[in-house]
Every structure is written in C-alpha cells, then in structure tokens.
Amino acid sequence: MDREWSLLVLLGVASLLACGHAHNLPGVPSSFSTEERLTAASSVSVAEEISQEFVKYLRTGIESPRLKVLGDELRTSHSQKDIFTQPLVDLSAADQYFTCTICRATVNVIGRTFTGPNGELTGPNRDQNAKKILLSLCDYFDIQTQEVCSGLFDLNWPILDYIFNETVAESRSICSMLPIKICQVQQPEFKLNVTIVGETPTESNYELAEHSDNDYLVLHLTDIHYDPEYKSGGLAECKEPMCCRDDLPADANTTGAGHWSDYRDCDTPKHLILNAFEQIKKEHALDWIYHTGDVPPHNVWSTTRQGNMDMLTEIDQLLAEHFPKIPVYPCLGNHEPHPANVFGNAEIPESLRVNWLYEHVWSLWSKWLPKEAEATVRRGGYYTLSLREGQRIIALNSMDCYLYNWWLFYDGSIVLEQLQWFHDTLLDAEKAGERVQVLTHIPSGDGDCWTEWSREYNRIVARFSRVITGIYNGHTHKDEMNVHYTETGLAMAVSWNGGSLTTYSYKNPNYRIYRLHAKTLQVLDHHTYTINLTEANLKPNEPPTWKKEYEFGETFTKNTSAAGIDQLLEDMAKKPDLLRLFWRYKMTEADPKLAAGCDEGCLNSTICRIATSRWNEKQRCRQLQAILQQGLENERQPQDDGAAALTAYSLASVLALLTALRYLL
C-alpha cells in the first residue's frame, strides 16, 4: 500500500504531462451533476490562476495579492496527513478538491517554465531548476515537509525527466487519471485490447466443492512492511507519511510508539514479525504459503536499492527458517523497487530498469520455484508453475496497473505483454484440465489501478472463471474481498484480500488461513487471526495474544462461490447489521476504527467496494446501495413487537372485549 504517493501525483506525475510531453492515458469520462460541474470548473479556474501567479512569483520573488489569497485558502483547506496516508477515493471532498487543483496547477506551472527559449527547464540547469520549482510548490502550499519533497524529487526526477523528453502527450490527461470525479474530463479513450480466445460463460459462477479430509491449509501473508529502524517509545505522531523512527522529544505532548507497533502511521518492528511467524509455526499445519508482496516500509522518500534488497533477503531468510519444509509462493508489491512503485520493461534505458530487482528476487525465490519460472521472473517479475497434477499457480506483477508507476505515462501499451501472457497461460491450463490460483498484489478494483488495465484483466478473469478457483491480493491493508462481474452483471470470481501484518494505519496486525479443496483448490473457508494492539502494548515484556478473530463460513456464508458471495452482498444490504459486522472485521477490530464507527456513508462505501473489480464500473454497486437504503429505512421504522399492538388496542378493543365477555357470562 502506498498512499503517501499522492504527493507525487501532485508534484511528479502532474508535471509529467505539462506542455504536452508524455503518453496520453485519459481517464474515463463521467456524467457530472450540476454541483460536480461547478466544482470541476472552479478547480480548473483556480488552478489556472495559481499557475499564472506562481510563475510570476518564481521569476520575481514578489507574491501578488491574488496568489496570497489563493495560497492562504488552499494551505488551510487540506488535511496534510490524510492526502498521504488514505486512498484518494476515500479522501474528504475538500482534500479531493485540493489534490485535483494542485495537480492541475503543477501541470501548468511546469508547462510555463518548460517551454520557450528562456524556459527554466530548457537550459543546462534544468535539474536544479526543476527541483527548485517543485520544492517551492511543496513549501508554498504546505503539501509536505521539505525532506519528504526533496527525497521524492531526487529519487523520481531521472525517470520523469526521461519521460517528458522522449514522449509526446496531451497535458490534461494525467490529472484526469486520478480516481477523483471532479478531475475527470471528456477525452478520447486510450484503448487496450487483449486477444481473447473462446467464449465467456453466460451464467454466474455457482461452482462449489464439498469439504473433505484432504483439503489444504494455506497461509496468506501480505504487506509485512518491515521497518528495521522502528523505535519503541519513539515519535508516533509526525508530519511525514510514516512515523516511529525518531526519538520522542522531551516536551512532546503525546505518548511514544508502542512496543509491538503502533496504530499511528507506523510500520512493523522485527520482533512483531518474529512473534507472528512463531505463532503461525506453532499453531498451524500448513501445506504452503502465499506471500502477496510489500516487504519494505513506507519511507518512500528515503529508500535505497541496497536497503530494499537487504530487507527482502532478511524476510526471505526468516520465512525459510521458520517454515523450512513449506513452499512459499510470492509475488511483487509496489514497495519492492527503488524508487517505490516504478517498474518498466525492456524498452526503457537500462539505467532506469529494475532488472536488479528481478535478478535479486529470483535468487531468493528460486528455492521454491521451478527452473522454467526463471525467464519470466527475470523479465518482468511474474511466473507460473504446476503445483500438482491438474493444479497451477500464476503470480502476476500488478504494477502494470498502478497509477504511480510512471512508465504507464511513457507508454501504456507496455502492460499488454503480461496481460496477453496471463490469457495464454490460462488458455493452456484450460486445455490441460488444470485449476488455477492467481496471486497479484493490487486488487483490480482499487482506485489506484488503471481502469483500462482492470477492464482487460476482468475480461480475462470472466473468460476463464471456470478455470480460476482463487485470486489473492494485498495492498489495501484491509481484510476484505471483491467480486468480479461481467459487463452484464454476472458474478464470475472472487478476489480474497489477506489484510496486512503491518498496522499502517489504524489497524491490528493480521494473517489469514484458507481451507482449499484438495482437487479444485476452491476457497471453502478462511479464518483470520489478529492481536489487539492496545492490549499488547500494555504488556511490552510479554508476547501478544493472537486470537482467531472469525471464521468466514460460520460468520457470513458457507457458499464461497462467486454467486454465493454475490448473494451474501444482497443479504448484507437487506440486513445492515451483517454489513456492519463485515466492516468491523475488515478493519481488524482496531480500537481507533471501532471508536469512530461506520455511518451510512461508510456502509455504502463498504458494500460498493466489495462489488467493484473495476473502479469506474459501479453497476452492481448501485444496485446494492439501493437495497441497502431500503434496509436502513426498515431499521428506522418502529417495530411491531406486540407491546405496540397492545397499546393500540387498549382503549377500544380491550374494553369492547371485556364488555362482550360480560354479556356472555
């Protein structure tokens, strides 16, 4: 997970398309309400004013009265922390307005300083001038600390600089790719097209196998986010996107970081990882492990290549030590490369590639993977293997869909190679009569996943929905799931999200155990295990108590087919208390989340999230929200519990009955 990358949306990716220098990847046009049209128009107008006035300010050092007004208003309009730690789709309206407006303003500022014979970004001092401009924007609008902004620039500028020197694009496209409705604009749509062989099933997927004594038990670990610099008792409330690395000041008016980690934007200390692995080894007899990525922490402004490699090696060694006879099947997360999120292909300059990462993970993964997986791991960080006869695993590198992977803006068609390979591998599996498990870090319905990619991915999933028997994600740090639908609303597959071992942010650490059918590998049930971080930190010298938080089949439904989960969503919509219970477990019963609660807006968002496998496709979401509204209305209606009926009849009917009895007697 990588929410602090909102900053580079503002300062990096926005500038990428300024003055028309990157590949056009338009967002999907939306039908705006009157209020949305006015807000979008305001954002465009304010962004244009900012860019004009800010360029003058950069060149003269004189702050105009209008720029001062705009600066004062925007500086105080956003919550500095949320825009880096929360998903863009979950931001408040004010934060979304700020993000969109600053993105557009940055595009224009860079454009005005890039073009022309005297443009600051056209001469020999382009790198220094670019950094000065972007740090000035960061500081003027109080977007983040100078350390964070400077670090992000240094790590990402070589890639961004190459992209807008080598490509051509339309400037307004970048900001319209943000999952913020008011930022979207009408424009020609960039079309990916995977060649799909065969027919997609025409009915929802009801397939469900029976439990047996031979079923597999599989551990799902994800988003460990190991922080080797975590300081127990350190500063847990800081301005940066990640905390718990610095000493707590003597005059601090806040408590220090907890021993076993902390709810407040902190990652995972090594002793918690060791404790979790020891707990799993002691309590569970596993057949194999799925590890769906994100080992390094969230300090994306100060990573190093060697640091990331060392952390990947250390966690790999810990897994091998604790589970020496249990195979581990991993996939890459967005935090594995340096800089974070950025993956390319063989067409980009060698100095900017992440071949070093692919080489390194192959050196780690090769003890678990067959030799035939080497070529694709070294090429792009993805692979397939035969698990047993009739059973196959496909692990994808989902950075092909990640909007913070800058190479998408260089050439969006780079994602077609892996998507077509995914299709072809599934086609071969279908011909061989195999059932397939899919590992991929980012859920396709996530707001940060490029909707063009997710459309094609979902077409493939639907086509091979009778071959794929399980999809496993991470990234969101939520214990959740997503149903994959066809464009006609048929439920075809389910993606299961393992949550995270990290507590970032405001959650309890967790892991999950699946029960998979011995032949088909279908998910028959899953159990989630957590610790309560508040209770654990009260006893820093004692191991925390891990508990089974819930069993999915016992709590929600034993029908884990795609159609069965779709029916569960209807039940949740009709019975909001069932949806509230799902939300409670989705948040791992973390004390800060339970204290805040889940209001009607939260419930609507929760059910929509489950029913979304492409961010801008909300057909099933809207249907379920309509049912939920009726369910909430029913909750507000007075219930006929017998006592009310007695009250209604007490003055008339009861007296009449007594009178009748009197005459009868």
Side-chain angles (χ1 to χ4, degrees):
M1 177 182 177
D2 196 30
R3 303 307 174 198
E4 65 277 14
W5 276 86
S6 301
L7 176 57
L8 278 183
V9 171
L10 307 181
L11 299 185
V13 119
S15 65
L16 205 150
L17 285 236
C19 66
H21 287 276
H23 195 90
N24 182 15
L25 295 177
V28 179
S30 298
S31 179
F32 286 6
S33 66
T34 300
E35 180 181 354
E36 288 165 342
R37 284 196 296 271
L38 290 173
T39 305
S42 168
S43 174
V44 171
S45 176
V46 170
E48 177 62 22
E49 279 195 276
I50 289 173
S51 61
Q52 291 180 6
E53 298 298 327
F54 200 81
V55 169
K56 295 176 186 176
Y57 172 62
L58 284 172
R59 290 170 174 167
T60 65
I62 299 172
E63 180 186 37
S64 71
R66 182 54 181 159
L67 180 61
K68 186 177 188 309
V69 169
L70 293 171
D72 289 343
E73 290 178 351
L74 284 175
R75 226 174 275 124
T76 58
S77 72
H78 69 97
S79 53
Q80 189 182 55
K81 197 76 167 179
D82 282 357
I83 62 174
F84 305 108
T85 59
Q86 299 300 315
L88 290 174
V89 294
D90 294 338
L91 292 177
S92 68
D95 279 346
Q96 288 193 347
Y97 181 90
F98 175 84
T99 301
C100 179
T101 303
I102 293 298
C103 179
R104 287 168 166 161
T106 304
V107 168
N108 294 335
V109 167
I110 298 298
R112 287 185 166 92
T113 55
F114 199 109
T115 56
N118 299 316
E120 288 86 340
L121 300 186
T122 57
N125 298 320
R126 55 183 290 113
D127 292 350
Q128 299 93 315
N129 288 338
K131 186 169 186 176
K132 177 183 176 183
I133 291 168
L134 294 178
L135 291 188
S136 295
L137 280 165
C138 177
D139 181 62
Y140 191 83
F141 293 102
D142 197 23
I143 297 172
Q144 247 299 329
T145 67
Q146 284 289 290
E147 178 187 355
V148 171
C149 293
S150 179
L152 288 173
F153 177 89
D154 291 342
L155 293 180
N156 290 273
W157 176 249
I159 297 169
L160 297 174
D161 187 34
Y162 175 83
I163 291 174
F164 47 69
N165 271 287
E166 297 295 329
T167 58
V168 178
E170 194 218 42
S171 62
R172 65 179 182 170
S173 295
I174 276 292
C175 297
S176 71
M177 286 184 69
L178 299 178
I180 297 174
K181 192 172 183 180
I182 64 165
C183 241
Q184 296 170 15
V185 295
Q186 293 288 339
Q187 55 190 341
E189 192 172 6
F190 186 95
K191 284 288 186 182
L192 296 176
N193 188 25
V194 173
T195 301
I196 293 182
V197 177
E199 298 298 322
T200 298
T202 56
E203 293 182 352
S204 289
N205 190 351
Y206 290 89
E207 186 175 354
L208 182 66
E210 296 291 331
H211 288 242
S212 75
D213 293 336
N214 298 319
D215 294 337
Y216 299 122
L217 292 181
V218 176
L219 168 67
H220 188 178
L221 276 175
T222 192
D223 294 81
I224 293 173
H225 288 293
Y226 166 39
D227 185 3
E229 298 181 36
Y230 183 92
K231 285 189 177 182
S232 297
L235 181 62
E237 296 183 30
C238 63
K239 291 183 178 181
E240 290 76 22
M242 190 188 80
C243 307
C244 294
R245 285 189 152 193
D246 298 323
D247 292 330
L248 184 70
D251 59 349
N253 59 356
T254 182
T255 57
H259 177 73
W260 294 103
S261 193
D262 202 283
Y263 287 129
R264 296 167 289 182
D265 303 325
C266 301
D267 274 323
T268 316
K270 184 175 180 178
H271 51 266
L272 175 58
I273 298 171
L274 289 170
N275 175 267
F277 287 6
E278 289 162 3
Q279 149 76 16
I280 295 165
K281 179 180 179 180
K282 176 183 175 182
E283 297 295 332
H284 307 289
L286 302 173
D287 290 289
W288 64 85
I289 297 170
Y290 291 148
H291 181 202
T292 51
D294 269 8
V295 168
H298 288 85
N299 62 313
V300 296
W301 66 95
S302 61
T303 60
T304 66
R305 178 187 295 189
Q306 189 60 50
N308 282 16
M309 292 170 66
D310 290 345
M311 283 181 277
L312 288 166
T313 300
E314 188 171 359
I315 295 303
D316 177 89
Q317 290 174 343
L318 290 177
L319 285 169
E321 290 170 8
H322 284 81
F323 311 103
K325 297 182 180 180
I326 300 173
V328 178
Y329 302 117
C331 69
L332 290 170
N334 55 292
H335 280 267
E336 267 69 82
H338 165 79
N341 311 318
V342 184
F343 293 73
N345 66 3
E347 305 305 317
I348 66 176
E350 186 173 352
S351 63
L352 299 177
R353 297 177 196 168
V354 292
N355 290 358
W356 61 269
L357 175 63
Y358 300 146
E359 295 286 339
H360 185 66
V361 296
W362 174 251
S363 74
L364 303 176
W365 297 354
S366 58
K367 59 180 164 293
W368 296 307
L369 306 185
K371 180 65 176 177
E372 52 266 30
E374 181 178 4
T376 54
V377 171
R378 288 179 180 271
R379 180 171 178 79
Y382 55 93
Y383 63 88
T384 185
L385 62 88
S386 175
L387 185 65
R388 290 169 175 77
E389 184 178 356
Q391 299 174 347
R392 178 165 295 278
I393 290 174
I394 297 175
L396 300 175
N397 181 352
S398 58
M399 298 316 103
D400 278 0
C401 92
Y402 202 35
L403 292 180
Y404 305 130
N405 179 8
W406 309 142
W407 294 113
L408 292 182
F409 309 118
Y410 169 66
D411 181 2
S413 66
I414 66 173
V415 309
L416 283 171
E417 178 183 329
Q418 187 185 182
L419 279 173
Q420 194 64 56
W421 172 88
F422 181 42
H423 166 277
D424 295 347
T425 305
L426 285 166
L427 185 62
D428 289 342
E430 182 181 60
K431 292 175 181 177
E434 294 177 326
R435 298 302 186 97
V436 175
Q437 301 272 281
V438 178
L439 312 181
T440 177
H441 180 67
I442 300 176
S444 65
D446 195 83
D448 298 336
C449 184
W450 184 26
T451 54
E452 285 295 302
W453 181 94
S454 62
R455 184 194 64 239
E456 295 305 290
Y457 173 78
N458 276 285
R459 288 179 61 219
I460 296 170
V461 168
R463 162 63 182 88
F464 295 102
S465 57
R466 302 321 191 248
V467 176
I468 297 170
T469 54
I471 304 171
Y472 306 90
N473 302 137
H475 188 63
T476 70
H477 301 188
K478 304 292 193 301
D479 183 333
E480 58 185 343
M481 60 191 175
N482 302 91
V483 181
H484 295 259
Y485 296 94
T486 64
E487 292 182 355
T488 57
L490 300 176
M492 290 303 198
V494 180
S495 283
W496 307 94
N497 198 312
S500 68
L501 195 58
T502 185
T503 61
Y504 191 100
S505 294
Y506 298 96
K507 71 173 294 292
N508 289 318
N510 79 278
Y511 65 88
R512 181 184 280 184
I513 303 290
Y514 295 100
R515 185 183 184 98
L516 303 186
H517 188 264
K519 184 176 181 180
T520 68
L521 299 180
Q522 286 179 285
V523 175
L524 303 176
D525 203 355
H526 68 73
H527 306 164
T528 295
Y529 295 80
T530 64
I531 63 172
N532 180 279
L533 199 56
T534 303
E535 295 176 3
N537 283 332
L538 291 175
K539 301 176 181 179
N541 297 320
E542 298 180 16
T545 301
W546 288 87
K547 67 171 185 176
K548 183 191 292 184
E549 186 182 26
Y550 73 101
E551 297 183 9
F552 187 83
E554 181 181 279
T555 307
F556 295 107
T557 180
K558 296 184 184 301
N559 187 347
T560 53
S561 68
I565 300 302
D566 182 60
Q567 180 57 54
L568 172 63
L569 298 190
E570 292 235 7
D571 295 340
M572 288 178 175
K574 293 174 182 176
K575 304 171 185 177
D577 275 345
L578 186 62
L579 182 59
R580 292 186 183 97
L581 183 61
F582 178 85
W583 173 85
R584 183 184 181 96
Y585 292 143
K586 173 180 176 177
M587 300 299 171
T588 61
E589 297 187 288
D591 291 337
K593 293 293 185 180
L594 297 185
C598 187
D599 59 16
E600 288 191 16
C602 165
L603 291 175
N604 273 283
S605 175
T606 299
I607 202 161
C608 188
R609 170 77 184 180
I610 308 172
T612 300
S613 57
R614 183 188 180 204
W615 177 74
N616 60 344
E617 176 49 62
K618 304 291 188 183
Q619 177 182 347
R620 186 56 173 148
C621 158
R622 302 296 180 230
Q623 293 170 350
L624 290 166
Q625 286 179 328
I627 299 171
L628 175 61
Q629 287 306 113
Q630 185 58 56
L632 292 169
E633 285 295 325
N634 292 341
E635 280 189 338
R636 289 189 281 266
Q637 296 298 322
Q639 299 297 308
D640 183 357
D641 60 1
L646 179 59
T647 302
Y649 286 105
S650 59
L651 293 178
S653 302
V654 175
L655 287 175
L657 177 59
L658 290 173
T659 301
L661 288 173
R662 181 179 170 190
Y663 280 104
L664 289 173
L665 296 173

